[in-house]
């Protein structure tokens, strides 16, 4: 009954795990936890994440509907456990969080291994392509001239950094609260596919990104949290490559842009699984501004963003096929299924 969804979700995580292990053995390096000591070791963090997802759903609901009365709160919690947290929901949440966690940890390690596996960089070629597309100008300089380098820099910075909490929050929302169970599988499966394809793109066309390779183009920008993040990544990269930092990862790789890929993927899933027009507008605007920010701050070349868009479309489509969604001849889901013979649907 769950064969296609399980196979693709678990298979993606296992493939990433195997790739990371083989690469670590080739380089004689060990896999590290990219989040350091946050919430403790992995064997403790996963149960905490799973418990947190459960409490995030039960506590606010119990407090609100129980109106602070202990007996009523317990009754609300029991009813929610019975109606919502059935075997199918628990399977989705556990399988989704574990598969995504494995995929993401392997992504971070494989990204860190990249400088040791491939020394060649293609920044010059992508920079020349950028200048050709902008008629001899650098995209960053054009954007700085149009938007300025002070007030807008802060706005773009905070929206760009919103990506960091967006991924875990969105993942939790679709796994825990999707009324149609297939939408939860669609979200987490497409996420794992996107992060895996992004890792492949790093190895297919290694780059540092214009902000690191052509630093002078961004010298006039205001010092925002995004600049601080880039400085931190450069420092970590040097420490890892030179061997001074142990137990940490380097996180610099340009092609393709996963900021673009993931924000587009979330916008697509909001568009085709939620009814709120406001949320649809918010996430499409978030995607558009994120793309501008990648060029404005020098995180990516134009080709990186185009590749990120392709990754999102592929992940969205393949994830949809695996979870029983209906697609138009044009390729996008215009009428997603409310039921599917392969993924159970929540009855609440």
């Amino acid at each position: 009954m769950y064969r296609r969804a399980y196979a693709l979700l678990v298979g993606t995580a296992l493939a990433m795990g195997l790739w990371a292990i083989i690469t670590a053995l080739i380089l004689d390096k060990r896999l590290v936890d990219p989040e350091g000591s946050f919430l403790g070791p992995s064997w403790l963090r996963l149960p905490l994440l799973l418990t947190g997802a459960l409490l995030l759903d039960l506590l606010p609901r119990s407090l609100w509907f129980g109106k602070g009365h202990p007996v009523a709160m317990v009754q609300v919690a029991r009813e929610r456990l019975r109606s919502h947290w059935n075997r199918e929901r628990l399977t989705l949440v556990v399988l989704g969080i574990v598969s995504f966690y494995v995929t993401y940890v392997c992504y971070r390690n494989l990204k860190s291994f990249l400088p040791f596996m491939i020394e060649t960089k293609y920044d010059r070629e992508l920079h020349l392509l950028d200048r050709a597309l902008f008629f001899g100008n650098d995209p960053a300089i054009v954007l700085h001239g149009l938007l300025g380098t002070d007030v807008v820099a802060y706005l773009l910075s905070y929206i760009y950094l919103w990506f960091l909490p967006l991924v875990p929050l969105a993942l939790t929302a679709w796994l825990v609260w999707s009324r149609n169970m297939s939408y939860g599988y669609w979200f987490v499966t497409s996420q794992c596919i996107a992060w895996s394809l992004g890792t492949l793109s790093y190895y297919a066309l290694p780059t540092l990104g214009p902000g690191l390779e052509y630093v002078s183009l961004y010298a006039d920008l205001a010092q925002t949290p995004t600049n601080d993040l880039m400085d931190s990544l450069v420092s970590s990269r040097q420490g890892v490559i030179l061997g001074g930092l142990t137990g940490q990862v380097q996180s610099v790789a340009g092609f393709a842009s996963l900021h673009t890929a993931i924000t587009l993927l979330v916008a697509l899933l909001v568009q085709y699984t939620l009814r709120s027009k406001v949320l649809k507008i918010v996430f499409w605007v978030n995607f558009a501004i994120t793309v501008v920010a990648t060029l404005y701050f020098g995180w990516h070349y134009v080709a990186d963003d185009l590749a990120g868009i392709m990754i999102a479309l592929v992940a969205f489509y393949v994830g949809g096929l695996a979870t029983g969604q209906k697609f138009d001849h044009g390729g996008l889901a215009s009428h997603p299924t409310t039921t599917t013979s392969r993924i159970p649907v929540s009855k609440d």
Side-chain angles (χ1 to χ4, degrees):
M1 186 176 184
Y2 312 101
R3 199 168 300 164
R4 277 194 310 188
Y6 281 7
L8 186 55
L9 182 58
V10 176
T12 300
L14 289 176
M16 286 290 284
L18 184 61
W19 183 11
I21 291 171
I22 291 174
T23 306
L25 291 174
I26 291 172
L27 296 175
D28 192 25
K29 294 182 177 293
R30 64 184 184 90
L31 298 174
V32 300
D33 188 339
E35 304 306 327
S37 60
F38 177 66
L39 292 181
S42 298
W43 62 265
L44 176 61
R45 185 181 300 117
L46 282 176
L48 285 175
L49 290 173
L50 296 172
T51 304
L54 179 64
L55 293 177
L56 188 62
D57 180 56
L58 292 180
L59 282 181
R61 180 179 295 269
S62 298
L63 289 170
W64 179 260
F65 291 106
K67 298 181 179 180
H69 300 294
V71 175
M73 289 171 58
V74 171
Q75 291 175 344
V76 171
R78 285 178 175 174
E79 174 59 24
R80 183 64 172 176
L81 286 170
R82 183 195 64 78
S83 63
H84 187 79
W85 287 93
N86 49 33
R87 184 182 65 180
E88 290 83 5
R89 177 69 59 179
L90 286 171
T91 300
L92 168 61
V93 172
V94 172
L95 190 65
I97 289 180
V98 171
S99 296
F100 179 79
Y101 186 81
V102 170
T103 301
Y104 181 74
V105 168
C106 293
Y107 154 82
R108 292 292 301 275
N109 278 274
L110 286 165
K111 190 177 185 180
S112 186
F113 294 155
L114 180 58
F116 303 100
M117 292 293 292
I118 305 174
E119 294 184 1
T120 306
K121 300 291 185 296
Y122 295 92
D123 288 273
R124 180 176 180 275
E125 289 80 358
L126 294 190
H127 183 234
L128 290 174
L129 178 59
D130 272 5
R131 291 182 62 84
L133 292 172
F134 278 73
F135 305 101
N137 301 296
D138 288 292
I141 299 301
V142 173
L143 289 174
H144 296 168
L146 290 173
L147 303 176
T149 58
D150 192 5
V151 176
V152 173
Y154 283 94
L155 173 64
L156 292 176
S157 175
Y158 288 117
I159 293 177
Y160 187 83
L161 294 178
W162 154 243
F163 176 85
L164 300 176
L166 170 64
V167 174
L169 289 175
L171 181 70
T172 301
W174 262 269
L175 292 179
V176 174
W177 291 298
S178 55
R179 290 182 177 273
N180 185 329
M181 201 78 71
S182 73
Y183 291 165
Y185 278 99
W186 191 6
F187 188 92
V188 69
T189 301
S190 61
Q191 282 284 325
C192 289
I193 293 171
W195 289 95
S196 301
L197 291 177
T199 310
L200 280 171
S201 71
Y202 294 156
Y203 281 75
L205 198 69
T207 64
L208 295 177
L212 276 68
E213 191 69 14
Y214 303 98
V215 180
S216 61
L217 297 177
Y218 308 90
D220 294 335
L221 287 178
Q223 189 65 27
T224 66
T226 295
N227 302 111
D228 296 336
L229 175 60
M230 186 175 288
D231 293 340
S232 174
L233 294 181
V234 171
S235 177
S236 297
R237 173 183 170 82
Q238 293 300 320
V240 170
I241 291 177
L242 297 176
L245 293 177
T246 58
Q248 296 191 30
V249 295
Q250 77 84 25
S251 299
V252 175
F255 183 91
S257 170
L258 278 182
H259 266 70
T260 296
I262 300 304
T263 53
L264 174 56
L265 184 56
V266 173
L268 287 168
L269 285 159
V270 168
Q271 180 71 34
Y272 294 104
T273 66
L274 301 183
R275 297 178 181 178
S276 171
K277 292 183 179 180
V278 173
L279 285 178
K280 291 176 182 180
I281 293 172
V282 166
F283 280 96
W284 280 113
V285 170
N286 178 67
F287 161 66
I289 294 177
T290 298
V291 172
V292 172
T294 64
L295 302 174
Y296 182 91
F297 289 110
W299 288 106
H300 294 289
Y301 302 100
V302 173
D304 301 347
D305 288 329
L306 294 176
I309 291 172
M310 293 304 301
I311 286 173
L313 294 176
V314 169
F316 174 76
Y317 183 71
V318 174
L321 289 180
T323 54
Q325 312 303 322
K326 297 293 185 181
F327 285 85
D328 280 341
H329 294 299
L332 290 179
S334 59
H335 302 288
T337 56
T338 55
T339 61
T340 171
S341 61
R342 296 187 180 276
I343 302 297
V345 178
S346 172
K347 296 295 191 294
D348 61 339

